[in-house]
Amino acid sequence: MIKVIAVFGTRPEAIKMAPVIHQLKMQKSKFKTVVCVTAQHRQMLDQVLKIFRLKCDYDLNIMQKAQSLYQITTNGLLKLEEIFKKEKPHIVLVHGDTTTTLVAALAAFYEKIPVGHVEAGLRSFDKFNPFPEEINRRIADVLADLYFAPTPLSARNLKREGILDKNIYVTGNTVIDALLMALKAPYQAKSRQLKSLAAGKKIILVTVHRRENWGTPLKNICTALAQIADRYPDVQIIYPVHLNPQVKNVVYAGLTGRANILLCEPLDYLDFVHVMKRSYMVVTDSGGLQEEAPSLGKPVLVLRQVTERPEAVKAGTVRVIGTATKAIYQEISRLLSSKPAYQKMANAVNPYGDGRASERIAKAILQYFHNK
Ligand code: UD1
Ligand code: UDP
């Protein structure tokens, strides 16, 4: 029996770890699965726990308002020390590139517990873009023992850094597992806002939260969205606003009061996936959306300078456009006005997996301990 502790703390980690936890729990005779959340996010994490019916064995409840990287790091690390010392798992699973990922991998290393990194090997090769995620994931990969690379490209990145082939498994991204679970679940829009999203309008789904975009870039983004809303009255922008005050305050100040811009609280995953399915295009700086939207055939404009997810860019459904107002306005306009330009991007492609990543991860963990 292999004792696994899965540690995560933010919305995207929870979405992408949920299918892994369900898979491990289904294989009860092989795994004892312990779930530990740092709760680096609170409300946005709880939304996911509820949708995926995940029960936590430990909830470290570390979130503070407008928290600093230092607070997440020190509080998370100290609390994880206690849990790992008490539970003594065979392996700790971490996901992606958040500060929770970094501290969970570090605490496991201090306790000499092997680390499995889900979504390993993504690289932008730019220390400060995204910040602090590029360095978080690189440190996690220095500390890890077992690597679940979502694509052949991420596996190649790891090999180039000297990681042994035998410890890398190309699994696909668990986000596709989560997406397929969400699409299969029975669904009815709950809120009046979502029910009334105009059927005939082109819906542009927007999310923005990255640290690099705080301040002027976010203001520029808002200006471009306002210009689009004014120029194209037949377009409906829906923007579920991240709860980070650095984001929320600027967005509400910049975009409140336009009939065709709907600002709302973060949506639960089922609502969000269904809005994405209905949308005409996605405009975002999110990592996860760059993976989900292409598989639904939605063009994605990425509000960043660089991406660690070049697979869908290569496939043609994602474009990295930066954060200048003019560029954002022009690129959105182009997709609204030119059918050929839209059709060129609106192809369902799926470089991120077939929905069976979690199964492969469970199998790889068994193999790792079998060979040990
Ligand atoms: C974090 C991750 C980022 C990830 C993103 C996903 C770090 C440093 N950043 O960024 O990699 O892409 O999550 O969304 O790990 N807040 C709430 N309720 C919530 C969540 C956040 O009120 O449910 C507010 C709090 O004031 C909190 C602040 O947002 O202090 C920032 O949260 P934090 O996790 O530090 O940073 P994010 O920008 O969310
Ligand atoms: N998401 C959600 N509700 C929202 C916005 C996003 O459920 O209101 C989901 C989205 O489908 C994706 C994930 O949250 O799976 C992305 O999270 P986020 O953008 O916060 O983080 P990132 O992926 O950039 O790390």
Side-chain angles (χ1 to χ4, degrees):
M1 180 77 106
I2 299 169
K3 187 174 189 180
V4 181
I5 294 196
V7 183
F8 52 95
T10 65
R11 169 173 68 191
E13 293 167 86
I15 291 169
K16 290 168 164 185
M17 278 296 228
V20 179
I21 290 161
H22 282 304
Q23 182 60 230
L24 295 175
K25 287 205 168 186
M26 260 168 23
Q27 301 190 31
K28 268 196 204 91
S29 59
K30 297 173 184 151
F31 299 103
K32 168 150 180 46
T33 310
V34 179
V35 176
C36 173
V37 296
T38 60
Q40 174 180 334
H41 284 174
R42 187 71 274 169
Q43 303 91 318
M44 286 158 60
L45 173 74
D46 291 344
Q47 278 185 323
V48 183
L49 298 178
K50 192 167 160 211
I51 290 288
F52 285 96
R53 298 198 175 86
L54 288 180
K55 289 219 167 61
C56 304
D57 300 285
Y58 295 98
D59 186 334
L60 309 184
N61 200 22
I62 65 168
M63 194 192 89
Q64 297 175 28
K65 269 207 168 142
Q67 62 203 358
S68 70
L69 295 176
Y70 299 93
Q71 285 170 317
I72 312 170
T73 307
T74 51
N75 293 337
L77 197 59
L78 285 172
K79 291 196 173 181
L80 283 169
E81 176 186 6
E82 271 177 52
I83 313 287
F84 291 173
K85 283 205 156 97
K86 180 172 155 217
E87 288 285 344
K88 299 190 173 38
H90 295 105
I91 185 163
V92 171
L93 285 190
V94 300
H95 179 278
D97 52 21
T98 71
T99 297
T100 288
T101 315
L102 164 72
V103 294
L106 186 58
F109 166 66
Y110 287 161
E111 295 305 316
K112 302 199 173 70
I113 304 164
V115 175
H117 188 193
V118 181
E119 200 181 83
L122 275 63
R123 296 290 182 268
S124 67
F125 304 102
D126 181 336
K127 188 172 179 179
F128 292 104
N129 279 295
F131 170 83
E133 290 82 4
E134 175 70 1
I135 295 303
N136 283 349
R137 58 188 166 229
R138 277 166 59 180
I139 297 175
D141 283 335
V142 169
L143 298 169
D145 300 271
L146 199 50
Y147 300 82
F148 307 113
T151 64
L153 178 68
S154 43
R156 276 204 299 281
N157 290 337
L158 292 166
K159 283 178 210 166
R160 219 183 294 139
E161 289 170 17
I163 308 296
L164 296 181
D165 225 356
K166 70 178 173 66
N167 295 328
I168 304 173
Y169 293 82
V170 179
T171 58
N173 197 309
T174 59
V175 78
I176 304 298
D177 304 24
L179 182 65
L180 297 183
M181 282 165 87
L183 289 170
K184 255 194 250 154
Y187 173 74
Q188 231 186 349
K190 293 173 283 288
S191 76
R192 201 156 33 86
Q193 276 178 326
L194 292 185
K195 278 188 193 147
S196 67
L197 264 186
K201 289 195 169 185
K202 286 180 177 164
I203 295 174
I204 302 181
L205 175 60
V206 179
T207 78
V208 184
H209 72 83
R210 301 239 80 87
R211 273 182 152 70
E212 313 83 89
N213 284 342
W214 292 359
T216 307
L218 184 54
K219 286 186 188 144
N220 293 342
I221 292 166
C222 289
T223 306
L225 294 174
Q227 288 173 357
I228 290 287
D230 293 344
R231 165 75 180 76
Y232 299 94
D234 60 326
V235 157
Q236 172 69 58
I237 294 176
I238 169 162
Y239 184 166
V241 185
H242 195 287
L243 294 180
N244 193 324
Q246 295 276 3
V247 175
K248 198 171 172 175
N249 296 342
V250 174
V251 172
Y252 277 90
L255 293 177
T256 301
R258 281 185 168 75
N260 57 345
I261 300 186
L262 171 60
L263 301 178
C264 61
E265 294 283 303
L267 296 174
D268 79 32
Y269 192 56
L270 287 190
D271 277 335
F272 191 79
V273 165
H274 282 86
V275 171
M276 192 160 36
K277 227 176 106 182
R278 287 177 62 188
S279 68
Y280 182 79
M281 72 169 105
V282 174
V283 178
T284 189
D285 67 3
S286 158
L289 261 76
Q290 293 178 58
E291 297 154 345
E292 293 163 333
S295 73
L296 296 174
K298 306 298 174 184
V300 184
L301 298 177
V302 176
L303 306 172
R304 291 164 62 166
Q305 309 307 325
V306 58
T307 183
E308 62 287 302
R309 292 167 167 90
E311 292 89 346
V313 176
K314 202 166 166 211
T317 58
V318 170
R319 280 172 76 99
V320 179
I321 63 167
T323 55
T325 302
K326 197 170 162 198
I328 299 168
Y329 178 83
Q330 280 176 347
E331 291 293 332
I332 297 178
S333 288
R334 206 166 62 89
L335 290 181
L336 288 171
S337 327
S338 158
K339 214 166 182 180
Y342 183 80
Q343 293 303 349
K344 217 171 146 196
M345 285 185 79
N347 297 311
V349 296
N350 210 336
Y352 297 111
D354 58 2
R356 294 179 55 206
S358 310
E359 240 175 87
R360 295 189 188 96
I361 288 170
K363 207 165 149 196
I365 298 172
L366 288 173
Q367 196 179 330
Y368 175 78
F369 283 100
H370 180 78
N371 294 343
K372 234 181 157 196

